[in-house]
Amino acid sequence: MIPIVELSRIMASGFAPLSCDCSVNPQGFLTIRIFEPESGRVELLLTGVSPQGLDSIRAISNLIGELRTELKAGRRGFAAFG
C-alpha cells in the first residue's frame, strides 16, 4: 500500500472541493471520510476498507471513481470489507 499520507493527499485531490480524510485502524483497514469542509457535513463514510491492491496511482484513481459514483447515487456511508 502507498503510505497513508500520500494516499490521503491523492484521495483529497480527487474530491475537491470536498475534503477527504483517510486513516488506518489497528487491524490495518482504512476509514475514508468525504466531507464538506466548511460545515463538516459528511457526504460519504466508509469503514473497513481493505488497503490491499491500493499500491498504485491507477488503483487509487479507480477507487476515487467508484466513490464518486456512490456520492452521485446519494449514499452516505457503508462498510466495505475485503
Side-chain angles (χ1 to χ4, degrees), residues 7-21:
L7 175 66
S8 293
R9 187 191 64 74
I10 296 166
M11 294 288 288
S13 70
F15 291 103
L18 296 174
S19 292
C20 180
D21 286 337

Side-chain angles (χ1 to χ4, degrees), residues 18-78:
L18 296 174
S19 292
C20 180
D21 286 337
C22 299
S23 60
V24 179
N25 70 20
Q27 294 78 30
F29 289 100
L30 300 172
T31 295
I32 301 170
R33 181 176 67 109
I34 302 166
F35 61 99
E36 210 295 315
E38 288 184 27
S39 68
R41 179 175 181 245
V42 175
E43 299 293 329
L44 187 66
L45 177 66
L46 296 99
T47 59
V49 178
S50 174
Q52 192 169 15
L54 295 178
D55 53 1
S56 69
I57 299 297
R58 175 170 278 180
I60 296 168
S61 179
N62 289 341
L63 175 61
I64 290 169
E66 290 175 22
L67 298 183
R68 284 182 180 166
T69 299
E70 296 297 325
L71 283 169
K72 286 179 184 175
R75 295 190 177 96
R76 311 269 314 150
F78 58 93

